[in-house]
Amino acid sequence: MSDYSFFGAVEKSFDKAAQFTTWDPGILEQIKQCNAVYRMHFPVKIGDKVEVIKAYRVQHSHHKLPCKGGIRFALSVNLDEVMALAALMTYKCAIVNVPFAGAKGGITIDPKKYTPYELEKITRRYTSELIKKNFIGPGIDVPAPDYGTGEREMAWIVDTYTSMRPGEIDGLGCVTGKPVTQGGVRGRREATGLGVFFGLREVLSMKDVMDKLGLPVGVEGKRVVVQGLGNVGYHTAKFFQEHGAKIVGLSEYEGAIYNMDGLDVDKVVEHRKTKGSLLNFPGSTNFAKNTDALEMECDILIPAALENVINGQNAPNVKAKIIGEAANGPLTPEADENFAKRGILVVPDMYLNAGGVTVSYFEWLKNLSHVRYGRMEKRFTENLNTHILGQIEDLTGKKVESKEKELILHGPEEVDLVRSGLEETMITATREIMEVWKKNPQIPDMRTAAYVVAINKVGTSYAELGIFP
Ligand code: GLU
């Protein structure tokens, strides 16, 4: 499927949803287009050779500022992909009420082929290219991690930015997903996976939705397959396991494994670290291809790697009743159609994996406020709770059990506040999308309902801002 256009697929989903809105066609067209596309080539000395590196930053919309979205390092990075991912960021932020516009960046390299020193040179040079064109800054455009990048790369970016913009008081907010020691926020690393869990848990708690799928309500006992064990896949699988689901299948580049009695996620990761492959994990069955995981027997399938993995060809073989899109764009429009016909519920990417950008928003707020979450209220809350509990014990003449006591007295740490903010965000977004879907039964699937929510929010922004004469 080399002629597949990811941006085209996003446009297709957008158009499908636009008919359920009442926006002027001009506004719809403005929402859909990528506002600014920056494609660059720059030289970096690798060993004793000069390599010309190809990279991108796309700002899909400017209805709010800053723009926001990750940076991907992969050989498959191309303009069409970056444009699609930037557009998804606009819709994602709108759905979870994060006041950013969408953007995305990418460098067309295989990061495994470079030493950390070479990657640092490439990342710093990319950052300075962005600075030169005013494509980065806490009020302009704020990158974050994505496929192939993480805290280390974000630390290089913030260091390059702050050294080239000395004295900029909010400079730390130029990028998110940083290490905690460099202005990051606790809870960002696992945020996308935790958001996927919170979103699906909310869907699984809806009796009417579960009845339609013929599944019992709740996470407990659900059979889950996760494709991809990177940051997002690993944490998603881990949270599901911790809450009583059975992780029956896992996959990575080298293949997939299945065990109907459940796999211990950390043990699989440990096995992969020592053996260099997740295959031959004790008690499990091997599958040769990573994509074999998509066709395994389960209740919930979570693609957590790259786009376009479920298409018209393999969609009919998918056995899951729920697809949770932890990756961006794992389904083609043909797969969507197949699942809608078969009554399989697709919980869409641009809302389900919004946990990353939601916590990025919290990190950005922390950077702008120059104070750690919880610093002002933790001790105050603990003192107050101690006092209230003491009064209750005195008045009732009974003592609260020590584990309960610990829970009640505990004042919020940064990670507690971040996680509860994320939980609230994901629950609210799930309900909002389901509400729109229920109100309009013509809407064919949850993705379309999510797009309707996003289009209405971005449309309102454009309409209220007016168009510059
Ligand atoms: N790369 C992540 C995404 O696709 C996170 C973006 C961010 O935190 O800005 O949503």
Side-chain angles (χ1 to χ4, degrees), residues 68-70 89 92 104 142-146 176 188 328 353 356-357 360:
K68 188 86 189 78
M89 287 308 301
K92 195 183 292 194
K104 202 79 172 197
V142 181
D146 199 80
T176 59
R188 174 65 183 82
N328 287 307
N353 69 25
V357 74
S360 275

PDB file of all heavy atoms in Angstrom, residues 68-70 89 92 104 142-146 176 188 328 353 356-357 360, ligand 1:
ATOM      1  N   LYS A  68       1.495  22.576  19.468  1.00  0.00           N
ATOM      2  CA  LYS A  68       2.042  21.516  20.321  1.00  0.00           C
ATOM      3  C   LYS A  68       2.051  20.186  19.585  1.00  0.00           C
ATOM      4  O   LYS A  68       1.085  19.837  18.908  1.00  0.00           O
ATOM      5  CB  LYS A  68       1.139  21.412  21.566  1.00  0.00           C
ATOM      6  CG  LYS A  68       1.673  20.508  22.640  1.00  0.00           C
ATOM      7  CD  LYS A  68       2.623  21.251  23.556  1.00  0.00           C
ATOM      8  CE  LYS A  68       3.334  20.335  24.503  1.00  0.00           C
ATOM      9  NZ  LYS A  68       4.457  19.605  23.871  1.00  0.00           N
ATOM     10  N   GLY A  69       3.102  19.428  19.780  1.00  0.00           N
ATOM     11  CA  GLY A  69       3.162  18.085  19.196  1.00  0.00           C
ATOM     12  C   GLY A  69       4.575  17.534  19.217  1.00  0.00           C
ATOM     13  O   GLY A  69       5.554  18.296  19.252  1.00  0.00           O
ATOM     14  N   GLY A  70       4.680  16.229  19.197  1.00  0.00           N
ATOM     15  CA  GLY A  70       5.969  15.563  19.370  1.00  0.00           C
ATOM     16  C   GLY A  70       6.896  15.663  18.175  1.00  0.00           C
ATOM     17  O   GLY A  70       6.567  16.226  17.128  1.00  0.00           O
ATOM     18  N   MET A  89      -2.978  16.223  16.149  1.00  0.00           N
ATOM     19  CA  MET A  89      -2.693  16.975  17.384  1.00  0.00           C
ATOM     20  C   MET A  89      -3.711  18.088  17.603  1.00  0.00           C
ATOM     21  O   MET A  89      -4.132  18.351  18.727  1.00  0.00           O
ATOM     22  CB  MET A  89      -1.278  17.566  17.361  1.00  0.00           C
ATOM     23  CG  MET A  89      -0.148  16.584  17.552  1.00  0.00           C
ATOM     24  SD  MET A  89      -0.249  15.492  18.980  1.00  0.00           S
ATOM     25  CE  MET A  89      -0.323  16.631  20.332  1.00  0.00           C
ATOM     26  N   LYS A  92      -6.839  16.356  18.772  1.00  0.00           N
ATOM     27  CA  LYS A  92      -6.575  15.754  20.078  1.00  0.00           C
ATOM     28  C   LYS A  92      -6.662  16.804  21.179  1.00  0.00           C
ATOM     29  O   LYS A  92      -7.350  16.642  22.182  1.00  0.00           O
ATOM     30  CB  LYS A  92      -5.157  15.169  20.020  1.00  0.00           C
ATOM     31  CG  LYS A  92      -4.799  14.212  21.093  1.00  0.00           C
ATOM     32  CD  LYS A  92      -3.340  13.759  20.956  1.00  0.00           C
ATOM     33  CE  LYS A  92      -3.072  12.908  19.747  1.00  0.00           C
ATOM     34  NZ  LYS A  92      -1.759  12.228  19.811  1.00  0.00           N
ATOM     35  N   LYS A 104       3.569  18.971  14.593  1.00  0.00           N
ATOM     36  CA  LYS A 104       4.361  17.746  14.705  1.00  0.00           C
ATOM     37  C   LYS A 104       5.690  17.955  13.997  1.00  0.00           C
ATOM     38  O   LYS A 104       5.761  18.752  13.055  1.00  0.00           O
ATOM     39  CB  LYS A 104       3.619  16.580  14.037  1.00  0.00           C
ATOM     40  CG  LYS A 104       4.049  15.241  14.520  1.00  0.00           C
ATOM     41  CD  LYS A 104       3.396  14.930  15.850  1.00  0.00           C
ATOM     42  CE  LYS A 104       3.618  13.535  16.318  1.00  0.00           C
ATOM     43  NZ  LYS A 104       2.638  13.193  17.364  1.00  0.00           N
ATOM     44  N   VAL A 142       5.692  24.156  20.837  1.00  0.00           N
ATOM     45  CA  VAL A 142       6.348  23.417  21.922  1.00  0.00           C
ATOM     46  C   VAL A 142       6.420  21.923  21.577  1.00  0.00           C
ATOM     47  O   VAL A 142       5.421  21.207  21.698  1.00  0.00           O
ATOM     48  CB  VAL A 142       5.573  23.630  23.259  1.00  0.00           C
ATOM     49  CG1 VAL A 142       6.250  22.895  24.403  1.00  0.00           C
ATOM     50  CG2 VAL A 142       5.439  25.117  23.575  1.00  0.00           C
ATOM     51  N   PRO A 143       7.572  21.440  21.134  1.00  0.00           N
ATOM     52  CA  PRO A 143       7.703  20.006  20.816  1.00  0.00           C
ATOM     53  C   PRO A 143       7.653  19.107  22.063  1.00  0.00           C
ATOM     54  O   PRO A 143       7.614  19.589  23.197  1.00  0.00           O
ATOM     55  CB  PRO A 143       9.066  19.902  20.135  1.00  0.00           C
ATOM     56  CG  PRO A 143       9.467  21.284  19.782  1.00  0.00           C
ATOM     57  CD  PRO A 143       8.785  22.178  20.780  1.00  0.00           C
ATOM     58  N   ALA A 144       7.692  17.819  21.817  1.00  0.00           N
ATOM     59  CA  ALA A 144       7.600  16.812  22.885  1.00  0.00           C
ATOM     60  C   ALA A 144       8.128  15.492  22.318  1.00  0.00           C
ATOM     61  O   ALA A 144       8.411  15.411  21.124  1.00  0.00           O
ATOM     62  CB  ALA A 144       6.137  16.658  23.314  1.00  0.00           C
ATOM     63  N   PRO A 145       8.219  14.449  23.133  1.00  0.00           N
ATOM     64  CA  PRO A 145       8.673  13.163  22.578  1.00  0.00           C
ATOM     65  C   PRO A 145       7.621  12.520  21.674  1.00  0.00           C
ATOM     66  O   PRO A 145       6.433  12.803  21.795  1.00  0.00           O
ATOM     67  CB  PRO A 145       8.878  12.288  23.827  1.00  0.00           C
ATOM     68  CG  PRO A 145       8.778  13.182  24.997  1.00  0.00           C
ATOM     69  CD  PRO A 145       7.998  14.381  24.585  1.00  0.00           C
ATOM     70  N   ASP A 146       8.080  11.684  20.800  1.00  0.00           N
ATOM     71  CA  ASP A 146       7.206  10.835  19.993  1.00  0.00           C
ATOM     72  C   ASP A 146       8.029   9.581  19.662  1.00  0.00           C
ATOM     73  O   ASP A 146       9.083   9.350  20.279  1.00  0.00           O
ATOM     74  CB  ASP A 146       6.738  11.581  18.730  1.00  0.00           C
ATOM     75  CG  ASP A 146       5.501  10.931  18.121  1.00  0.00           C
ATOM     76  OD1 ASP A 146       4.394  11.177  18.624  1.00  0.00           O
ATOM     77  OD2 ASP A 146       5.640  10.143  17.161  1.00  0.00           O
ATOM     78  N   THR A 176       8.307  19.904  26.075  1.00  0.00           N
ATOM     79  CA  THR A 176       7.849  19.106  27.225  1.00  0.00           C
ATOM     80  C   THR A 176       8.341  17.672  27.085  1.00  0.00           C
ATOM     81  O   THR A 176       8.896  17.305  26.053  1.00  0.00           O
ATOM     82  CB  THR A 176       6.306  19.129  27.348  1.00  0.00           C
ATOM     83  OG1 THR A 176       5.771  18.604  26.136  1.00  0.00           O
ATOM     84  CG2 THR A 176       5.779  20.527  27.609  1.00  0.00           C
ATOM     85  N   ARG A 188       4.885  12.291  33.574  1.00  0.00           N
ATOM     86  CA  ARG A 188       4.806  12.465  32.120  1.00  0.00           C
ATOM     87  C   ARG A 188       5.165  11.182  31.377  1.00  0.00           C
ATOM     88  O   ARG A 188       4.581  10.863  30.353  1.00  0.00           O
ATOM     89  CB  ARG A 188       5.715  13.628  31.672  1.00  0.00           C
ATOM     90  CG  ARG A 188       5.834  13.810  30.145  1.00  0.00           C
ATOM     91  CD  ARG A 188       4.505  14.217  29.534  1.00  0.00           C
ATOM     92  NE  ARG A 188       4.524  14.348  28.070  1.00  0.00           N
ATOM     93  CZ  ARG A 188       4.414  13.353  27.210  1.00  0.00           C
ATOM     94  NH1 ARG A 188       4.306  12.100  27.645  1.00  0.00           N
ATOM     95  NH2 ARG A 188       4.389  13.582  25.917  1.00  0.00           N
ATOM     96  N   ASN A 328      -0.923   6.508  16.935  1.00  0.00           N
ATOM     97  CA  ASN A 328      -1.613   7.465  16.074  1.00  0.00           C
ATOM     98  C   ASN A 328      -1.864   6.818  14.722  1.00  0.00           C
ATOM     99  O   ASN A 328      -0.927   6.327  14.082  1.00  0.00           O
ATOM    100  CB  ASN A 328      -0.754   8.722  15.881  1.00  0.00           C
ATOM    101  CG  ASN A 328      -0.729   9.587  17.124  1.00  0.00           C
ATOM    102  OD1 ASN A 328      -1.777   9.956  17.677  1.00  0.00           O
ATOM    103  ND2 ASN A 328       0.465   9.919  17.599  1.00  0.00           N
ATOM    104  N   ASN A 353      -5.181   8.499  22.998  1.00  0.00           N
ATOM    105  CA  ASN A 353      -3.765   8.653  23.363  1.00  0.00           C
ATOM    106  C   ASN A 353      -3.412  10.090  23.731  1.00  0.00           C
ATOM    107  O   ASN A 353      -2.245  10.478  23.699  1.00  0.00           O
ATOM    108  CB  ASN A 353      -2.838   8.067  22.293  1.00  0.00           C
ATOM    109  CG  ASN A 353      -2.848   8.870  21.008  1.00  0.00           C
ATOM    110  OD1 ASN A 353      -3.139  10.061  20.997  1.00  0.00           O
ATOM    111  ND2 ASN A 353      -2.505   8.229  19.896  1.00  0.00           N
ATOM    112  N   GLY A 356      -0.616  11.913  26.794  1.00  0.00           N
ATOM    113  CA  GLY A 356       0.722  12.490  26.666  1.00  0.00           C
ATOM    114  C   GLY A 356       0.653  14.007  26.593  1.00  0.00           C
ATOM    115  O   GLY A 356       1.295  14.717  27.375  1.00  0.00           O
ATOM    116  N   VAL A 357      -0.161  14.495  25.681  1.00  0.00           N
ATOM    117  CA  VAL A 357      -0.212  15.951  25.517  1.00  0.00           C
ATOM    118  C   VAL A 357      -0.910  16.620  26.714  1.00  0.00           C
ATOM    119  O   VAL A 357      -0.595  17.754  27.078  1.00  0.00           O
ATOM    120  CB  VAL A 357      -0.839  16.353  24.157  1.00  0.00           C
ATOM    121  CG1 VAL A 357      -2.335  16.160  24.127  1.00  0.00           C
ATOM    122  CG2 VAL A 357      -0.478  17.795  23.834  1.00  0.00           C
ATOM    123  N   SER A 360       1.717  16.949  29.135  1.00  0.00           N
ATOM    124  CA  SER A 360       2.630  17.969  28.603  1.00  0.00           C
ATOM    125  C   SER A 360       2.102  19.364  28.950  1.00  0.00           C
ATOM    126  O   SER A 360       2.871  20.271  29.269  1.00  0.00           O
ATOM    127  CB  SER A 360       2.725  17.868  27.085  1.00  0.00           C
ATOM    128  OG  SER A 360       3.682  16.905  26.717  1.00  0.00           O
TER     129      SER A 360
HETATM  130  N1  GLU B   1       3.809  12.743  20.782  1.00  0.00           N
HETATM  131  C1  GLU B   1       2.687  12.712  21.664  1.00  0.00           C
HETATM  132  C2  GLU B   1       1.394  12.651  20.869  1.00  0.00           C
HETATM  133  O1  GLU B   1       1.362  12.195  19.759  1.00  0.00           O
HETATM  134  C3  GLU B   1       2.739  13.805  22.713  1.00  0.00           C
HETATM  135  C4  GLU B   1       2.669  15.207  22.205  1.00  0.00           C
HETATM  136  C5  GLU B   1       2.906  16.283  23.271  1.00  0.00           C
HETATM  137  O2  GLU B   1       3.050  15.948  24.434  1.00  0.00           O
HETATM  138  O3  GLU B   1       2.936  17.442  22.868  1.00  0.00           O
HETATM  139  O4  GLU B   1       0.347  12.984  21.348  1.00  0.00           O
END
